[in-house]
Amino acid sequence: MNTDKTQNSNASMHELRKLLFEKESARIDKLESILLNQGLHAQEVAKVLAEAVELRNRSDEELSIALAPTIEKSIQASIARDPQALSNALFPVMGPTIRKSIASTLAAMLQSLNQTLEHSFSKQGFLWRIEAVKTGKSFAEVVLLNTLIYRVEQVFLIHRETGVLLHHLSSDPTHTEDADVVSSMLTAVQDFIRDSFAGSTDQNIETLSMGDVQVLIEQGPDVVLAVVCRGNSPRTLHETMQVAIEDIQQNFVDELTAFDGDTEAFIATDEKLSPLLIADYKNKTEEKKSPLKAILFVALMFAIIFSWWAWHQIEISQTNTQWQSYLERLKAEPGIIVTGISDNDDVETITGLRDPLSQDPKALLAEYQLQNKNIHFEFEPYHALQPALILKRVSRLIQPPKSVELLLEDQTLLIRGVASEVWLTQAEQAALYVAGVESIDSTGLSILSSSFEQKQTHFPIKMDALPVKPKKNIIRKEEPKKKVVVTDAVILQRAISLLKPPTTVQMVYAKGILYVSGKASASWIDFAKHNFSKVEGIDSFYTSNLTNQGTKP
Amino acid sequence: MIQKKICILGAAGVGKTSLTAQFVFSKFSEKYLSSMGVKIDRKTVDVDGKQVNLMLWDIHGEEKYKKIPTSYLRGASGIMMVIDGTRPATLEMAQEILQRVETELGTIPHIYLLNKSDLTDAWSINDDDMQMLKNTGNPVFLTSAKTGDNVEASFLHLATALVTA
């Protein structure tokens, strides 16, 4: 019973709630669906995101700080994915920046070059060079000492109370690594000197000096400005520093008051401090003239270098031409075969084969003006079968008398002229040992009678030392031809050879008579009269036209 | 870049210079200590992703007739007070120095380094002294310049405290 009552009551309540809150219930369901739908969230946030970012940026910098890591990671991811996209986006910014930086560096280099050239090649520069040698200093150092009035090399902006370096500038951008330590030490040094000697915090150190380097110090209420200066700084530099301090104190009052060690804000002092990095040189008016002199000198140097280079090239070209001609000649030379030419460490090596009787390659070098060239010859010996060399070899072996001519035709040695029987016999035997001589033809040779054989040169070949005679062809005249008819010319020649007349004497032979005319000494005439009969074929000696010119031969 | 001036103080011979040498590579030689009474080094540390430049002023040890010049302490963000754990007298001297600094320059955040912790046999600082130091509310580190124990940790602790303060 009770259960039925409760069920009826719940149903009634449900009915009642439905009647009273049906519309509200539907709205709650709708709101719930909006809240649970993530897609609808994004749409709603997107509608107000830009306004929200702008509003937050106006109030503080928390959003920038919060977004920084995300943006950094996004950039890293973008570069990792496609570096070209970011590179393209930055190109319009990076290009001008890089150009400006390069132009600035080049300008500084040119200025330095102009100054160096001016001082290097002027009369004054020459004297300074001597001074540099005498004192053992570098030339640049001497130039600097003589031309520099002063130069500010470093500027330190220091927080007065803590000694912390707020900003630093240097004429040499690479010389900045320990500036913060130096800044603190500079503060400590001031404290030390003040504690040791001054005794009052109102008194300040204005200058620290060592050699030609000075540290000029100016104090402000919150900052200390120190400049490192080389040379003799003008008093006005202190005033310039004071103006810079006042400017910084005025423009950075909030940053200095709230200073807690963060030096980021003081990078902006750069424009106020950079005018302090100044230098003053002597002879400024002369410097303006210097580029012309320098340019002329450089042009002259270039001209000299170019001339030397051109001359060197011509010389190389000539040498190459001569070298090629020499090689052509060597290749064409009988008895020389060039198999290789190599160039190693300026040494030319020619390899090949060479007949010992051929032309000496070294002797040819002078002909091509290559005596000074470093050439190394590596020739293996061989016997060349070219006719000229075969004849040479035969001549060396059989040593023919002057009245004999040797020729080679189709491997046949032709012997022409006049010679003795003994010589011919030995020559025929020996010549056949020479490679390239297959047969001998001496049909063109006249054999002297036995009385003349004794006057022939002794044949030098030791026939016993020769091996067995090779079987080769020897063509000789028939035996009757052994008795030869001696011509008038031969008889005259023999007479001249025997009597050796002076140049003032003329001799003619005809029909057994030797006609002698001209001038001769009495002794020669006497000698001729006693010896003319030794020449076969001369029966009488006719001297009617011969004049005695005295006893001198 | 954030820069903080830190002074390293203590009686003579407590190991201040050795502690600094453990932590940094020095540019200036120790002759500055004997001549000027101070040697300055730099160490860059990373605190929560920020680079912090610690300018470490190693000031000569306090002796009876050679007081630490307070001008060197002006502008310091923090002090590392070094005590020799084998010499209780250096603890008293540390308290004297801190008192004088407070009188002349006001309160400067500081930590205590009980140095020479490797010399366990000669250790002379008792628990009461340790507790007394801890009761000041300033951190206390047992360090050894010889072994390097706790040296970097103590410097980093002070740097973090100064940056996050």
Side-chain angles (χ1 to χ4, degrees):
Chain A
M1 272 299 278
N2 286 337
T3 309
D4 291 341
K5 274 185 180 179
T6 307
Q7 283 176 349
N8 289 333
S9 171
N10 284 342
S12 301
M13 279 300 289
H14 183 71
E15 191 64 27
L16 184 61
R17 196 183 293 127
K18 193 178 174 185
L19 288 170
L20 289 173
F21 302 112
E22 189 176 12
K23 284 184 181 176
E24 284 76 9
S25 179
R27 285 176 66 189
I28 287 168
D29 288 345
K30 191 179 176 184
L31 284 170
E32 195 174 39
S33 73
I34 289 170
L35 284 170
L36 293 174
N37 189 336
Q38 295 292 331
L40 283 175
H41 274 222
Q43 287 173 15
E44 293 304 316
V45 171
K47 287 175 187 170
V48 295
L49 184 62
E51 289 84 353
V53 169
E54 195 180 344
L55 278 173
R56 188 60 195 258
N57 275 341
R58 278 185 205 163
S59 61
D60 57 40
E61 294 182 351
E62 285 300 314
L63 188 64
S64 304
I65 295 166
L67 285 175
T70 311
I71 292 170
E72 283 168 6
K73 283 180 184 169
S74 299
I75 292 170
Q76 284 173 0
S78 169
I79 292 170
R81 192 179 67 252
D82 180 14
Q84 192 62 40
L86 203 63
S87 172
N88 289 343
L90 287 175
F91 178 76
V93 183
M94 296 299 286
T97 308
I98 292 167
R99 276 199 298 277
K100 193 175 173 184
S101 172
I102 291 170
S104 168
T105 308
L106 280 175
M109 279 174 62
L110 280 173
Q111 189 183 354
S112 170
L113 179 66
N114 274 341
Q115 196 173 338
T116 307
L117 285 171
E118 162 64 16
H119 295 313
S120 294
F121 306 118
S122 65
K123 180 186 166 191
Q124 187 65 61
F126 180 70
L127 294 173
W128 287 340
R129 207 167 273 284
I130 293 172
E131 186 185 332
V133 173
K134 278 164 66 181
T135 57
K137 292 177 180 172
S138 71
F139 178 66
E141 201 176 348
V142 173
V143 170
L144 191 70
L145 287 171
N146 284 286
T147 59
L148 188 71
I149 297 174
Y150 76 97
R151 182 176 68 188
V152 176
E153 294 183 337
Q154 292 189 70
V155 178
F156 294 85
L157 181 68
I158 304 166
H159 189 250
R160 182 168 181 167
E161 190 183 17
T162 60
V164 164
L165 181 69
L166 299 174
H167 196 50
H168 176 248
L169 292 175
S170 173
S171 58
D172 177 4
T174 59
H175 191 256
T176 58
E177 52 182 321
D178 289 316
D180 47 4
V181 184
V182 173
S183 162
S184 293
M185 208 67 199
L186 205 55
T187 308
V189 168
Q190 290 179 78
D191 290 339
F192 173 73
I193 295 171
R194 197 180 291 120
D195 288 351
S196 305
F197 307 111
S200 165
T201 52
D202 298 335
Q203 290 172 306
N204 297 315
I205 297 154
E206 290 188 351
T207 309
L208 299 171
S209 184
M210 189 188 72
D212 66 337
V213 177
Q214 295 170 307
V215 181
L216 309 182
I217 303 166
E218 280 295 324
Q219 314 269 349
D222 298 310
V223 293
V224 175
L225 188 59
V227 300
V228 180
C229 180
R230 190 177 293 276
N232 299 314
S233 61
R235 186 66 205 169
T236 52
L237 190 56
H238 278 279
E239 291 162 16
T240 314
M241 290 168 67
Q242 196 58 51
V243 170
I245 285 181
E246 287 165 8
D247 203 356
I248 290 167
Q249 284 280 167
Q250 193 176 347
N251 286 288
F252 292 84
V253 61
D254 292 338
E255 288 85 347
L256 289 168
T257 308
F259 182 67
D260 64 344
D262 191 351
T263 58
E264 202 72 26
F266 296 95
I267 293 171
T269 58
D270 202 288
E271 61 173 299
K272 302 190 186 305
L273 297 178
S274 50
L276 290 168
L277 278 179
I278 49 175
D280 193 9
Y281 293 90
K282 292 175 188 170
N283 303 327
K284 276 187 174 175
T285 50
E286 284 180 21
E287 271 182 20
K288 288 177 184 173
K289 297 175 190 169
S290 66
L292 181 62
K293 280 185 188 173
I295 289 165
L296 283 173
F297 182 83
V298 170
L300 182 67
M301 290 301 291
F302 271 115
I304 292 169
I305 291 167
F306 179 75
S307 303
W308 176 82
W309 177 81
W311 176 81
H312 190 63
Q313 290 301 313
I314 290 167
E315 197 178 48
I316 288 172
S317 171
Q318 280 180 345
T319 306
N320 282 343
T321 309
Q322 286 165 336
W323 173 240
Q324 290 306 324
S325 303
Y326 172 76
L327 291 176
E328 290 304 318
R329 168 77 183 274
L330 210 58
K331 287 172 184 172
E333 194 65 31
I336 293 178
I337 299 171
V338 177
T339 56
I341 302 156
S342 61
D343 181 6
N344 189 15
D345 292 336
D346 288 338
V347 177
E348 299 279 1
T349 303
I350 300 175
T351 51
L353 303 171
R354 177 176 171 249
D355 190 308
L357 295 178
S358 66
Q359 176 76 43
D360 184 1
K362 287 178 186 169
L364 285 174
L365 287 173
E367 200 175 314
Y368 293 88
Q369 296 173 334
L370 295 168
Q371 313 88 298
N372 298 327
K373 199 169 173 71
N374 205 349
I375 303 169
H376 177 60
F377 295 99
E378 286 181 3
F379 282 117
E380 293 295 328
Y382 87 111
H383 274 188
L385 293 178
Q386 283 145 315
L389 287 162
I390 294 171
L391 279 175
K392 224 171 182 178
R393 195 164 291 116
V394 169
S395 289
R396 276 185 76 170
L397 185 64
I398 65 177
Q399 297 201 347
K402 288 179 181 175
S403 56
V404 169
E405 183 190 11
L406 299 177
L407 296 168
L408 191 71
E409 277 182 10
D410 296 332
Q411 299 187 328
T412 299
L413 181 67
L414 305 176
I415 303 174
R416 304 268 187 270
V418 180
S420 68
E421 176 72 22
V422 175
W423 177 84
L424 179 62
T425 305
Q426 293 188 341
E428 283 172 341
Q429 290 176 7
L432 288 171
Y433 285 98
V434 176
V437 177
E438 291 298 319
S439 59
I440 296 168
D441 179 358
S442 61
T443 52
L445 184 76
S446 300
I447 301 298
L448 292 173
S449 62
S450 58
S451 61
F452 284 102
E453 286 178 7
Q454 294 172 356
K455 295 170 190 173
Q456 289 287 315
T457 309
H458 177 67
F459 195 67
I461 300 175
K462 291 182 179 177
M463 296 306 292
D464 298 342
L466 290 173
V468 178
K469 185 180 175 183
K471 291 177 181 176
K472 291 185 182 176
N473 299 322
I474 299 172
I475 304 167
R476 271 201 176 197
K477 287 182 179 177
E478 293 301 317
E479 206 52 36
K481 290 180 183 174
K482 201 170 179 180
K483 298 290 178 184
V484 298
V485 178
V486 180
T487 62
D488 291 354
V490 171
I491 293 169
L492 178 62
Q493 188 61 43
R494 288 174 191 163
I496 290 168
S497 299
L498 179 69
L499 301 176
K500 293 184 176 60
T503 52
T504 51
V505 169
Q506 292 85 43
M507 289 169 47
V508 177
Y509 172 81
K511 295 179 181 176
I513 303 167
L514 184 64
Y515 297 92
V516 183
S517 59
K519 292 178 181 178
S521 65
S523 59
W524 184 80
I525 294 169
D526 189 47
F527 169 76
K529 281 178 179 174
H530 284 91
N531 288 287
F532 77 90
S533 59
K534 290 181 181 175
V535 180
E536 190 181 22
I538 298 176
D539 301 324
S540 58
F541 186 58
Y542 185 79
T543 58
S544 300
N545 295 325
L546 187 63
T547 309
N548 186 345
Q549 63 176 20
T551 53
K552 194 177 176 185
Chain B
M1 171 84 69
I2 296 169
Q3 298 200 53
K4 296 288 182 186
K5 175 178 175 179
I6 292 176
C7 292
I8 300 151
L9 302 178
V14 293
K16 299 182 294 299
T17 304
S18 301
L19 279 168
T20 313
Q22 264 283 350
F23 191 55
V24 300
F25 175 77
S26 296
K27 175 184 167 66
F28 296 110
S29 73
E30 287 181 24
K31 68 181 179 185
Y32 288 88
L33 261 178
S34 53
S35 56
M36 268 179 52
V38 65
K39 182 169 80 77
I40 297 163
D41 294 308
R42 175 196 59 218
K43 176 78 176 181
T44 305
V45 294
D46 189 291
V47 177
D48 295 338
K50 289 180 185 171
Q51 295 286 297
V52 180
N53 229 8
L54 300 180
M55 304 309 300
L56 303 171
W57 290 50
D58 178 6
I59 298 168
H60 73 74
E62 172 114 337
E63 291 171 90
K64 192 173 180 181
Y65 299 106
K66 191 179 178 185
K67 300 292 180 193
I68 291 171
T70 47
S71 58
Y72 286 163
L73 276 74
R74 200 178 301 119
S77 300
I79 289 171
M80 303 193 91
M81 182 54 71
V82 187
I83 297 159
D84 184 349
T86 66
R87 289 189 291 150
T90 60
L91 173 60
E92 292 170 20
M93 202 169 275
Q95 287 170 322
E96 281 176 29
I97 294 167
L98 279 174
Q99 204 167 3
R100 200 168 69 249
V101 169
E102 195 164 346
T103 308
E104 293 186 27
L105 301 171
T107 305
I108 299 173
H110 57 276
I111 62 172
Y112 294 102
L113 306 186
L114 291 174
N115 197 30
K116 303 187 185 178
S117 64
D118 55 295
L119 300 175
T120 47
D121 293 342
W123 194 257
S124 303
I125 303 288
N126 57 37
D127 292 343
D128 292 342
D129 293 332
M130 288 277 283
Q131 195 56 48
M132 184 267 291
L133 288 175
K134 285 177 183 173
N135 288 343
T136 61
N138 296 298
V140 181
F141 286 87
L142 286 174
T143 59
S144 169
K146 189 176 177 183
T147 64
D149 279 354
N150 260 344
V151 176
E152 185 141 358
S154 57
F155 276 96
L156 276 175
H157 182 91
L158 183 60
T160 308
L162 295 176
V163 172
T164 54

